[in-house]
Structures are given as C-alpha cells and as structure tokens.
Amino acid sequence: MTTVRVLIQSKAGVLDPEGEAVKGGIERLGHEGVERVGVGKVVDIDFETDDTDEIESRVEQICDEFLVNPIIERYSYEILDNQ
Amino acid sequence: MTTVRVLIQSKAGVLDPEGEAVKGGIERLGHEGVERVGVGKVVDIDFETDDTDEIESRVEQICDEFLVNPIIERYSYEILDNQ
C-alpha cells in the first residue's frame, strides 16, 4: 500500500476568508506578530498499488479532473510510504 | 519571517464524511484500488519572529486552545523556512 499526501491551497492573490478568520482568532488569543494565515486541505489517499509511476499519473488525473479548482487553487503532493 | 505548516487530521476511527465523499468521487472517475481517503486541513502560519523555541510554543498554544478539537482531531507541524 502507498499513501499519497496532497496539499490543496489557495493561489497567491486569491481571497482566503478561512485564513483571515483563523488569523483573527489567533490575534484574539493574544498572539501578536502573525503576518498571514493560509488555510487549505490535506488529502491523504491510500492506493493498493506500489507502482510509483501509476500512482503519480493517477494523482495528477484526480487533482486535474476533480479535486482541485485550477482557477483559484494550486496543489502539490508527496508519496509518504511505499510498503 | 518563519512559516509553520500545521496539518490537522481526523483521529483514527473518527468518521470522515468528506474523505468518504472524495473516495466516492475518485471511484466514479473510474479509479479502482483506492483503499481510503482522509481529508483534513493544512494551515500555514507566517510568524514575524525567527525564534524557533518561541514559534513552537506559540503553535502548540494556538492548536491546543483554538485550532484543533482534541476529541476528534490530531495535529502535527513543521517549520518550513527560517529566513
């Protein structure tokens, strides 16, 4: 089994109201010196196969066709373990 | 400035309806062999300071007091850059 970790985050310049809300909450807790907060999604996908090439091709298809909105989001991924 | 990346994910055994929904979407795209999908949050926090000890202490406070629900969620974090 192989786990892939996909991170989906707002593109630079795109409004991130959840990040702004978290930043406000942190400041209300009394923490100064926080410049920016960005909130996105982490999606862990467990594949049965251990074929790295196949997994990379599938992850890119899944992100491009379904999981990520390329107008406002960017994604990156890493293969966590291969066992 | 130092960026910290916090990952907030469901604890093992806790229902993850968003993960189940993504798994269903992936299967409807025609991808077989996906065993599990887990969806959580990635929160990037930019701190003005570069004092690693101070940052670690603040991140743990922020997560414990506000950002993470310890009944159903777990978190991990890494310091991304220190520049």
Side-chain angles (χ1 to χ4, degrees):
Chain A
M1 194 199 75
T2 302
T3 299
V4 178
R5 174 159 292 164
V6 183
L7 298 183
I8 305 170
Q9 295 175 289
S10 295
K11 281 186 172 172
V14 171
L15 219 63
D16 176 4
E18 196 171 356
E20 286 302 305
V22 171
K23 182 169 182 287
I26 290 172
E27 286 164 351
R28 279 190 295 280
L29 269 184
H31 295 280
E32 293 174 359
V34 170
E35 294 184 349
R36 194 193 64 89
V37 177
V39 175
K41 279 186 188 169
V42 51
V43 182
D44 284 353
I45 306 174
D46 294 349
F47 289 96
E48 273 170 21
T49 179
D50 293 325
D51 177 335
T52 306
D53 288 343
E54 188 194 330
I55 287 171
E56 290 184 351
S57 145
R58 278 171 174 235
V59 169
E60 287 165 24
Q61 269 183 56
I62 290 167
C63 286
D64 292 340
E65 295 173 9
F66 164 64
L67 210 53
V68 179
N69 178 345
I71 311 291
I72 55 169
E73 294 171 329
R74 63 195 155 82
Y75 72 92
S76 59
Y77 65 90
E78 61 179 323
I79 293 178
L80 292 191
D81 46 46
N82 221 328
Q83 66 203 0
Chain B
M1 194 199 77
T2 302
T3 300
V4 178
R5 174 159 292 163
V6 183
L7 297 183
I8 305 170
Q9 296 175 290
S10 295
K11 281 185 172 172
V14 172
L15 218 64
D16 176 4
E18 196 171 356
E20 285 302 305
V22 171
K23 182 169 183 284
I26 290 171
E27 287 164 351
R28 280 190 294 279
L29 269 182
H31 295 280
E32 292 175 358
V34 170
E35 293 185 350
R36 192 194 65 92
V37 177
V39 175
K41 280 186 189 169
V42 51
V43 182
D44 283 354
I45 306 175
D46 295 348
F47 288 96
E48 274 170 20
T49 180
D50 293 326
D51 178 336
T52 305
D53 288 344
E54 188 194 330
I55 288 171
E56 290 184 351
S57 145
R58 279 173 175 235
V59 168
E60 287 165 23
Q61 269 183 56
I62 290 167
C63 287
D64 291 341
E65 294 175 9
F66 164 66
L67 210 52
V68 178
N69 178 345
I71 311 291
I72 56 170
E73 294 171 329
R74 63 193 155 84
Y75 73 92
S76 59
Y77 66 89
E78 61 179 322
I79 293 179
L80 290 191
D81 44 48
N82 221 328
Q83 65 201 359

